[in-house]
Amino acid sequence: MSEEKLPKRSENFSEWYNQVILRAEMADYSPVRGCMVVRPYGWALWENIQKSLDARFKATGHVNAAFPLFIPMSFLEKEKEHVEGFSPELAVVTHGGGQQLEEPLVVRPTSETIIGHMYAKWIKSYRDLPVLINQWANVVRWEMRTRLFLRTLEFYWQEGHTAHATHAEAEEETLKILDLYTDFAINDAAIPVLPGQKTDKEKFAGALRSYTIEAMMGDTRALQSGTSHNLGQNFAKAFDIRYLDQTNQLQHCWTTSWGVSTRLIGAIIMTHGDDQGLLLPPKLAPIQVVIVPIYRNDEQRALVMPYVEQVRQQLSAFRVQVDDRQELTPGFKYNDWELRGVPLRLEIGSKDVEKHSVMAARRDIPGKEGKTILPMDNIATGVGDLLQTIQDALLERARVFRDANIHQPNDYLALQEVVQNGWAFSWWCGSRECEDKIQEETKATIRCVPLEQPGGEGQCVCCGKPASKKAYFARAY
Amino acid sequence: MSEEKLPKRSENFSEWYNQVILRAEMADYSPVRGCMVVRPYGWALWENIQKSLDARFKATGHVNAAFPLFIPMSFLEKEKEHVEGFSPELAVVTHGGGQQLEEPLVVRPTSETIIGHMYAKWIKSYRDLPVLINQWANVVRWEMRTRLFLRTLEFYWQEGHTAHATHAEAEEETLKILDLYTDFAINDAAIPVLPGQKTDKEKFAGALRSYTIEAMMGDTRALQSGTSHNLGQNFAKAFDIRYLDQTNQLQHCWTTSWGVSTRLIGAIIMTHGDDQGLLLPPKLAPIQVVIVPIYRNDEQRALVMPYVEQVRQQLSAFRVQVDDRQELTPGFKYNDWELRGVPLRLEIGSKDVEKHSVMAARRDIPGKEGKTILPMDNIATGVGDLLQTIQDALLERARVFRDANIHQPNDYLALQEVVQNGWAFSWWCGSRECEDKIQEETKATIRCVPLEQPGGEGQCVCCGKPASKKAYFARAY
Ligand SMILES: [Zn+2]
Ligand SMILES: [Zn+2]
């Protein structure tokens, strides 16, 4: 751990973000511009995110597979909007085995095209549908301005790709996944995301409709945290994905795609972190409980350590680490584990051994207020309850912060003001002109049009014309 | 499932191998030459392999991380043997974001160089050692002749990279991993691998010493199934990975690397498969038990299906699939699941319901011989025992086959004969000349020099000079 003080989150959010990632050893810069190294602590968090999502995918009938990293350039060109959307961001392999390739290969920025090609080969009949495949993969987009976890040349994600017999089934899948992402974000990551539909301007290149979960970061900026796309028949027509229906007619499939990425790690950091560093939600934290033994001499140590070991064994259902580094003081260790965002710390000294208890310190409440004495009897229950309390408290705190920073301006002047430091939830007439104007003049984009609307009608916050829907406007990462 | 008959394994092993993979839907060819698509059934097998290995890595103190896909070309050039070994096989990215890159980027063929660069940054003191990191990743080697799972341009693997304070610790790690791989192969994949050391000719490009587990496939050819390398200080010197020791002296680290890949899937197929198709070891099989309900009419179906559901619930500890496809006959289903290598089939008809039992059919023993009646009481125990019996039987059968095909020729003529259709375990003088000559004249290479030797001395099978070690010679994949 570095001796220098962490920049204050309230004073320099951006620098705080970078420093906390580097110092907590979540990730590091790599020698290749814009690529990151995800260090073991960061990867352990990603593995927990993966486990949590993968279980949800499998419970809803999805299976995993792996499609090639390389895609022929010609494949991307088959869907017009898709190639326009991704062309500027491509990494291209031109040489292999010492020879120039006849056709350059693109390093996948996303896999609709190559998966579409395979689906066309595999799908013959309505009996083959639906196809519900996901892959956990690395993808590459040649971004010019990069940020650790938020926007890197290479990143890690899952991409689901499904094929259905009807538009209705594809739409149902798209929304089912939107719900699944929302459930994960709220219940596991403690991020109170707002789900909704993307505007045509903001939708995925090649989609009929895109849905998104949008999160408010600690500086009030928005972060798109997961997307689910109804691709209509666009890719099915481009790649000839067809099936024989029950009346023996050849039909094009309806496809979807959906993904979340290591960006979620950035979302967790920027939602829950504070001036002390990270604060990880217990359900996903690589270390849920750190035990710091306290002793002044060998005699105390001989008393404390066997007790620590007992506690550790009682807590085998949790992810526990004992910090017995003898060259460091307890105070240094407290700071270190606070920086790393471990949600619960147990302090165990000789007095605790005598009293047959441990001192528990919550990461989310500093100082005495966050301390509780837990009796050794039933300590697993006590720890489990405290972790759940912390999980709930993180979500509640983020929800209060989010709601306090969402305003409902009715006129354009107020909107311009509000989005400098928060979100606007305002009526929008649905026109691209208003959307463009607001973005140009305020840098705020429409994050989403929520599916649940207040109802009724209003006047567009920009042009004043009649509007039937409200949208979230915010500056975004 | 295709209607055409599978080629016979004994008549055309190579075509049998390809067909069984395609028909069992383990993998498929991709539109990019030499790249494969791992289909859900194949990927589920890989996920089980991953889980099994990952648990072993974590139990021995290793952690996972992720390093970039792209490596600057100059990095590979820092270790002389390494660049010579990998140069002919590189895929090179020359363009990104529409611009030509100043320095071409290599798509990682393996990650010693970029990980070495990061370790140099992270490791400062003896307190930072050992570093024990693994990554699960895709890698690319521009192979000219490819085979599904065995040799593809892109493949999936894990690569462990560790750094230590001393040569002894690095060697200990290298051998610990060799043991771990051996244990996995024998106990989970039921492949009786032979561990040993690679010759200098066959070792990893840049290693001090390479160890390997070598497996005999069903056609008696050898398959290198996992390797563990003691890299000495070669990469530490090339990348300046140094630490301050306890006396404040700057020392170079000693590093190791080790990996197994999706090749293991090929090994499992070629070790256990037969004329009916795949035969998957129960510990790794994506589906351990398939239940086929048998009925002739709706009345019987109404009797059988609730019972099938009861059985399924009793077997919740296993990976079970109920095949209730109504358009297919039981006989078709038996063939289908035999092709897919499901180790145990339960047949349930109305008579079984009456008798309160099920008919279990082992995949490894065809016909009546492999059938057992399992009582419904304690069915989970009965199924668990049978799966373990099959697991043991697969290993034993492979061991018997292996031992029957390892010969111990003492002279060169006999060796030439033997390696046409088996392995030779013979004395070797240790010279590169004899190794080269045998390879040129018989296509057999030294697979490994086992760590456990018979002792004593002999005469080199090639030149007749004194030899202190025996080696395995075989033609290999
Ligand atoms: Zn308007
Ligand atoms: Zn010799």
Side-chain angles (χ1 to χ4, degrees):
Chain A
M1 199 171 75
S2 159
E3 301 299 313
E4 267 179 79
K5 261 203 114 165
L6 197 63
K8 280 212 165 173
R9 185 169 171 281
S10 52
E11 289 169 9
N12 191 341
F13 193 82
S14 166
E15 190 51 25
W16 168 85
Y17 176 78
N18 291 338
Q19 285 298 321
V20 85
I21 288 171
L22 296 173
R23 293 192 194 190
E25 298 180 341
M26 296 285 277
D28 202 351
Y29 299 108
S30 92
V32 176
R33 182 194 73 80
C35 291
M36 67 178 162
V37 175
V38 185
R39 299 186 71 170
Y41 193 53
W43 195 256
L45 175 57
W46 180 238
E47 284 185 346
N48 289 341
I49 292 171
Q50 287 184 302
K51 261 181 238 156
S52 171
L53 284 166
D54 203 66
R56 284 174 169 86
F57 297 151
K58 284 176 176 158
T60 48
H62 300 85
V63 289
N64 291 332
F67 295 85
L69 176 68
F70 297 139
I71 301 178
M73 184 66 103
S74 57
F75 276 38
L76 270 90
E77 289 159 2
K78 289 193 183 184
E79 213 289 337
K80 190 174 156 289
E81 285 185 20
H82 193 66
V83 69
E84 280 173 11
F86 285 101
S87 276
E89 298 182 351
L90 299 178
V92 185
V93 175
T94 55
H95 289 73
Q99 305 276 320
Q100 179 153 8
L101 305 182
E102 283 181 30
E103 181 182 6
L105 295 173
V106 167
V107 184
R108 65 178 163 224
T110 179
S111 303
E112 280 76 9
T113 58
I114 194 149
I115 292 179
H117 175 91
M118 298 310 299
Y119 281 9
K121 189 173 166 188
W122 296 339
I123 296 169
K124 303 288 175 209
S125 140
Y126 70 93
R127 291 187 199 275
D128 299 325
L129 297 174
V131 174
L132 307 171
I133 294 181
N134 174 63
Q135 78 172 352
W136 292 95
N138 52 346
V139 286
V140 170
R141 297 179 187 174
W142 209 265
E143 306 280 358
M144 295 321 291
R145 298 186 59 187
T146 60
R147 288 294 290 283
L148 291 168
F149 291 121
L150 298 183
R151 183 169 278 113
T152 48
L153 260 63
E154 181 190 19
F155 59 92
Y156 307 91
W157 78 348
Q158 58 70 215
E159 46 179 326
H161 295 269
T162 70
H164 307 265
T166 65
H167 173 264
E169 285 173 39
E171 183 71 8
E172 189 191 339
E173 167 79 6
T174 314
L175 291 171
K176 182 193 285 176
I177 296 296
L178 185 72
D179 281 351
L180 186 159
Y181 286 161
T182 306
D183 178 64
F184 164 80
I186 293 176
N187 292 314
D188 286 5
I191 300 177
V193 294
L194 293 166
Q197 192 178 338
K198 283 286 183 195
T199 65
D200 280 352
K201 177 180 181 173
E202 300 281 339
K203 75 178 185 190
F204 178 74
L208 200 62
R209 273 188 293 282
S210 289
Y211 299 94
T212 178
I213 50 170
E214 297 285 326
M216 183 187 287
M217 300 294 98
D219 62 351
T220 77
R221 284 171 73 183
L223 187 78
Q224 177 180 305
S225 304
T227 49
S228 183
H229 314 292
N230 183 334
L231 304 173
Q233 293 182 310
N234 294 341
F235 288 88
K237 287 182 175 164
F239 288 90
D240 212 24
I241 312 171
R242 294 192 295 179
Y243 71 98
L244 277 173
D245 69 14
Q246 271 131 314
T247 66
N248 236 22
Q249 302 292 307
L250 215 45
Q251 305 278 1
H252 281 106
C253 288
W254 299 80
T255 69
T256 83
S257 70
W258 29 273
V260 298
S261 73
T262 32
R263 217 172 199 224
L264 281 172
I265 296 177
I268 289 168
I269 296 170
M270 291 196 293
T271 299
H272 303 303
D274 62 21
D275 284 350
Q276 268 60 56
L278 295 177
L279 206 177
L280 300 178
K283 287 204 183 159
L284 299 175
I287 302 171
Q288 297 173 306
V289 179
V290 62
I291 303 178
V292 179
I294 301 164
Y295 46 80
R296 290 212 180 70
N297 50 47
D298 285 352
E299 195 186 336
Q300 287 184 359
R301 184 178 149 79
L303 186 69
V304 165
M305 289 312 291
Y307 186 79
V308 162
E309 182 53 28
Q310 276 179 45
V311 173
R312 201 184 59 75
Q313 283 176 12
Q314 294 288 317
L315 299 180
S316 61
F318 304 96
R319 298 185 287 273
V320 176
Q321 180 146 330
V322 175
D323 184 353
D324 190 30
R325 292 177 289 180
Q326 295 194 50
E327 70 276 18
L328 302 175
T329 65
F332 183 96
K333 292 178 186 176
Y334 295 173
N335 286 335
D336 194 20
W337 295 110
E338 283 172 9
L339 170 69
R340 289 169 206 266
V342 174
L344 192 64
R345 177 177 78 229
L346 302 183
E347 306 166 2
I348 300 179
S350 45
K351 281 195 182 153
D352 301 289
V353 180
E354 279 168 30
K355 289 193 222 146
H356 211 61
S357 64
V358 305
M359 179 64 82
R362 289 172 59 168
R363 171 65 180 82
D364 61 324
I365 303 178
K368 275 191 187 166
E369 311 278 294
K371 293 208 175 186
T372 328
I373 293 167
L374 291 181
M376 181 64 171
D377 298 334
N378 275 319
I379 188 146
T381 309
V383 164
D385 290 347
L386 259 183
L387 289 173
Q388 186 60 51
T389 303
I390 296 168
Q391 180 82 26
D392 296 341
L394 291 184
L395 177 62
E396 185 54 22
R397 189 161 78 179
R399 202 193 300 271
V400 166
F401 178 80
R402 178 197 75 183
D403 292 343
N405 288 287
I406 297 181
H407 311 281
Q408 307 211 18
N410 291 316
D411 64 70
Y412 191 52
L413 263 176
L415 179 135
Q416 283 179 297
E417 169 91 23
V418 154
V419 297
Q420 294 320 303
N421 209 11
W423 294 21
F425 186 50
S426 299
W427 293 100
W428 171 53
C429 67
S431 81
R432 176 70 176 258
E433 289 71 28
C434 290
E435 190 179 5
D436 284 343
K437 183 180 179 211
I438 291 170
Q439 183 173 3
E440 273 163 39
E441 295 178 0
T442 70
K443 291 184 186 158
T445 48
I446 297 181
R447 302 316 304 156
C448 70
V449 180
L451 301 185
E452 285 178 31
Q453 287 284 334
E457 288 233 327
Q459 292 177 309
C460 175
V461 71
C462 183
C463 68
K465 286 184 190 158
S468 61
K469 291 200 167 165
K470 294 187 84 169
Y472 290 107
F473 298 82
R475 291 179 307 151
Y477 279 95
Chain B
M1 199 170 74
S2 162
E3 301 299 312
E4 267 177 79
K5 264 202 113 170
L6 197 64
K8 281 211 166 175
R9 185 169 171 279
S10 52
E11 289 169 10
N12 191 340
F13 193 82
S14 167
E15 191 52 25
W16 168 86
Y17 177 78
N18 290 339
Q19 286 297 322
V20 86
I21 288 172
L22 295 174
R23 293 191 196 190
E25 299 182 340
M26 296 285 277
D28 202 350
Y29 298 109
S30 92
V32 176
R33 183 194 73 80
C35 291
M36 67 177 161
V37 174
V38 185
R39 298 187 69 169
Y41 193 53
W43 196 255
L45 175 57
W46 180 238
E47 284 184 348
N48 290 341
I49 292 171
Q50 286 185 303
K51 262 180 236 154
S52 170
L53 284 166
D54 204 67
R56 284 174 168 85
F57 297 151
K58 284 176 176 156
T60 47
H62 301 86
V63 288
N64 291 332
F67 295 86
L69 176 67
F70 297 139
I71 302 178
M73 184 66 102
S74 57
F75 275 40
L76 270 91
E77 290 159 1
K78 289 193 181 182
E79 213 287 336
K80 189 173 158 291
E81 285 184 19
H82 193 66
V83 70
E84 280 173 11
F86 285 102
S87 276
E89 299 183 350
L90 299 178
V92 185
V93 175
T94 55
H95 289 74
Q99 306 274 319
Q100 179 154 9
L101 305 182
E102 283 182 30
E103 181 181 7
L105 296 173
V106 167
V107 183
R108 64 177 165 224
T110 179
S111 303
E112 281 75 9
T113 58
I114 194 150
I115 293 179
H117 176 92
M118 298 311 299
Y119 281 8
K121 190 174 165 186
W122 296 339
I123 296 168
K124 305 287 175 209
S125 138
Y126 69 93
R127 291 186 198 276
D128 300 324
L129 297 174
V131 173
L132 306 171
I133 294 181
N134 174 61
Q135 78 172 352
W136 292 94
N138 52 345
V139 286
V140 170
R141 296 178 187 176
W142 210 265
E143 305 280 358
M144 294 320 290
R145 299 187 57 186
T146 59
R147 287 295 291 282
L148 291 168
F149 292 121
L150 297 183
R151 183 169 279 111
T152 48
L153 261 62
E154 181 190 18
F155 59 92
Y156 306 92
W157 77 348
Q158 59 69 216
E159 47 178 326
H161 295 270
T162 69
H164 306 264
T166 65
H167 173 263
E169 285 173 40
E171 183 71 6
E172 188 190 341
E173 167 79 6
T174 313
L175 291 171
K176 182 192 286 177
I177 296 295
L178 185 72
D179 281 351
L180 186 159
Y181 287 160
T182 306
D183 177 65
F184 164 80
I186 293 176
N187 292 313
D188 287 5
I191 301 176
V193 294
L194 293 166
Q197 191 177 340
K198 283 285 179 196
T199 64
D200 280 351
K201 178 181 181 173
E202 300 282 339
K203 73 179 186 189
F204 178 74
L208 198 62
R209 270 189 295 282
S210 289
Y211 299 94
T212 178
I213 51 172
E214 297 285 326
M216 183 188 288
M217 301 296 97
D219 62 352
T220 77
R221 284 172 72 184
L223 187 78
Q224 176 180 304
S225 304
T227 48
S228 182
H229 314 292
N230 184 335
L231 304 173
Q233 293 182 309
N234 293 343
F235 288 89
K237 286 181 176 163
F239 289 89
D240 212 24
I241 312 171
R242 296 193 291 180
Y243 71 97
L244 277 173
D245 69 14
Q246 272 133 314
T247 65
N248 236 23
Q249 302 292 307
L250 214 45
Q251 304 279 1
H252 280 106
C253 287
W254 298 80
T255 69
T256 83
S257 69
W258 30 274
V260 298
S261 74
T262 33
R263 225 178 189 217
L264 280 173
I265 295 177
I268 289 169
I269 296 170
M270 291 196 294
T271 300
H272 303 303
D274 61 21
D275 284 350
Q276 269 58 56
L278 295 176
L279 206 178
L280 301 178
K283 286 203 184 162
L284 299 175
I287 302 170
Q288 295 173 307
V289 179
V290 63
I291 303 179
V292 179
I294 300 165
Y295 46 79
R296 288 211 181 71
N297 50 46
D298 284 351
E299 197 186 337
Q300 286 184 0
R301 184 178 149 80
L303 186 70
V304 165
M305 289 313 292
Y307 186 78
V308 163
E309 181 54 29
Q310 276 178 44
V311 174
R312 201 186 58 76
Q313 282 175 15
Q314 294 287 318
L315 300 180
S316 61
F318 304 97
R319 298 184 287 273
V320 176
Q321 181 147 327
V322 175
D323 185 353
D324 189 30
R325 292 177 289 179
Q326 295 194 48
E327 71 275 17
L328 302 175
T329 64
F332 183 96
K333 291 178 187 177
Y334 296 174
N335 286 335
D336 194 21
W337 295 111
E338 282 172 10
L339 170 70
R340 289 168 206 267
V342 174
L344 191 64
R345 178 178 76 229
L346 301 184
E347 306 166 3
I348 300 179
S350 46
K351 281 193 182 154
D352 301 287
V353 179
E354 279 167 32
K355 290 193 223 144
H356 211 61
S357 63
V358 304
M359 180 63 83
R362 288 172 60 168
R363 172 65 181 84
D364 60 324
I365 303 178
K368 275 191 188 166
E369 311 280 293
K371 293 206 176 188
T372 327
I373 293 167
L374 290 181
M376 182 64 171
D377 298 334
N378 275 321
I379 187 144
T381 308
V383 163
D385 289 348
L386 259 182
L387 288 173
Q388 186 60 52
T389 303
I390 297 169
Q391 180 82 27
D392 296 341
L394 290 185
L395 177 62
E396 184 54 20
R397 191 162 76 179
R399 203 193 300 270
V400 167
F401 178 81
R402 179 197 73 185
D403 291 345
N405 287 288
I406 297 180
H407 310 280
Q408 306 212 16
N410 290 318
D411 64 69
Y412 192 53
L413 264 177
L415 179 134
Q416 284 180 296
E417 170 89 23
V418 153
V419 297
Q420 294 317 305
N421 210 11
W423 294 21
F425 185 50
S426 298
W427 292 101
W428 171 52
C429 67
S431 81
R432 177 70 177 258
E433 288 70 27
C434 290
E435 189 178 8
D436 284 342
K437 183 180 179 211
I438 291 171
Q439 182 173 4
E440 272 162 40
E441 295 178 359
T442 71
K443 292 187 185 153
T445 48
I446 298 182
R447 303 316 304 156
C448 70
V449 180
L451 301 184
E452 284 179 31
Q453 288 284 335
E457 289 232 327
Q459 292 178 307
C460 176
V461 71
C462 183
C463 67
K465 288 185 188 155
S468 61
K469 292 202 165 163
K470 294 188 85 167
Y472 290 106
F473 298 83
R475 292 178 309 149
Y477 279 96

